[in-house]
Amino acid sequence: DTAVSQTPKYLVTQMGNDKSIKCEQNLGHDTMYWYKQDSKKFLKIMFSYNNKELIINETVPNRFSPKSPDKAHLNLHINSLELGDSAVYFCASSRDRGNQPQHFGDGTRLSIL
Amino acid sequence: GNSVTQMEGPVTLSEEAFLTINCTYTATGYPSLFWYVQYPGEGLQLLLKATKADDKGSNKGFEATYRKETTSFHLEKGSVQVSDSAVYFCALIRFGTDKLIFGTGTRLQVFP
């Protein structure tokens, strides 16, 4: 059973399009995250939600909009995709806020043509 | 600000060699420290953690000790295997925040 699952695994699209990435966790965790990993493997947090409430929003362009319909899901919608958005996006979850270990999905590789 | 510095990779070793991957941190207060591992094509997995000074985290033969005096959390393993080949990330969460701050990652390549 996959604990944190993301779909799709690969996403290839053209500049200017709008796309969504879905994330679901079956761990019963309260907190979920989105990270961006660039081509040099550097990981940076984008957003975090706790019980459907936004708690971290790191200077991310407003073309990126997270949505948490319930605490088991955190989706990421991206408008007007740009070349610089090409990266691997990871979803993660933790039992609650603070220094709890985070469980990661396998990532979504987004390629902008 | 808070940051994590890791040694540049790749680290290339023969099977059964001793491994050290250096990690130092800068943080206000008392952060919790983590090592995550990323195997090719996969997400990150928690390898070990330590939440206070002198704590030793260990898992799968890997160890790291939280050294407050040197602000370090070096990862060690006595005898590496080919299956340990992966990218290793050192990370911290500062007490009272929710942000996991990662180092740049160190690629380990183990050859038979």
Side-chain angles (χ1 to χ4, degrees):
Chain A
D1 286 344
T2 304
V4 181
S5 58
Q6 300 177 223
T7 53
K9 191 172 175 66
Y10 299 97
L11 187 51
V12 181
T13 190
Q14 292 192 326
M15 233 170 23
N17 284 349
D18 304 338
K19 290 292 178 187
S20 292
I21 307 172
K22 294 186 176 180
C23 179
E24 175 182 5
Q25 53 95 4
N26 63 5
L27 297 166
H29 287 171
D30 283 351
T31 310
M32 295 185 73
Y33 311 81
W34 276 109
Y35 289 86
K36 180 180 181 180
Q37 186 175 44
D38 64 22
S39 58
K40 296 183 179 177
K41 297 285 191 184
F42 183 66
L43 269 158
K44 193 169 189 306
I45 190 162
M46 301 172 68
F47 301 103
S48 176
Y49 272 71
N50 184 65
N51 273 320
K52 303 195 299 175
E53 180 187 346
L54 180 67
I55 55 173
I56 295 175
N57 184 349
E58 283 287 287
T59 52
V60 179
N62 58 14
R63 297 182 295 105
F64 290 78
S65 51
K67 285 191 171 47
S68 182
D70 54 62
K71 71 175 193 177
H73 295 84
L74 180 61
N75 304 323
L76 183 65
H77 188 76
I78 315 170
N79 288 329
S80 303
L81 281 157
E82 300 177 358
L83 287 175
D85 298 332
S86 294
V88 182
Y89 293 84
F90 286 99
C91 178
S93 73
S94 61
R95 192 177 67 194
D96 53 33
R97 300 174 66 171
N99 66 355
Q100 299 299 315
Q102 295 182 18
H103 299 252
F104 284 75
D106 286 343
T108 296
R109 182 174 293 278
L110 173 62
S111 300
I112 310 301
L113 304 177
Chain B
N2 304 302
S3 65
V4 176
T5 302
Q6 290 182 236
M7 58 191 291
E8 291 265 347
V11 173
T12 304
L13 295 173
S14 298
E15 211 165 20
E16 299 183 4
F18 185 86
L19 168 70
T20 301
I21 299 179
N22 289 339
C23 171
T24 57
Y25 66 89
T26 302
T28 52
Y30 301 98
S32 293
L33 302 174
F34 305 83
W35 276 102
Y36 282 83
V37 57
Q38 185 178 25
Y39 298 101
E42 297 183 14
L44 281 75
Q45 300 173 26
L46 178 67
L47 185 58
L48 51 86
K49 67 179 275 193
T51 57
K52 60 183 189 298
D54 300 325
D55 264 3
K56 178 187 279 188
S58 60
N59 185 25
K60 300 181 182 179
F62 291 89
E63 292 182 341
T65 301
Y66 189 144
R67 301 279 188 211
K68 185 166 173 291
E69 63 278 10
T70 54
T71 61
S72 64
F73 193 54
H74 304 322
L75 183 68
E76 296 183 337
K77 186 176 185 184
S79 176
V80 293
Q81 306 300 313
V82 172
S83 57
D84 293 326
S85 298
V87 181
Y88 292 80
F89 291 90
C90 186
L92 69 84
I93 292 181
R94 187 168 65 86
F95 181 77
T97 75
D98 300 286
K99 292 184 198 176
L100 188 58
I101 296 170
F102 286 93
T104 51
T106 302
R107 181 178 299 279
L108 170 65
Q109 297 174 322
V110 181
F111 293 96

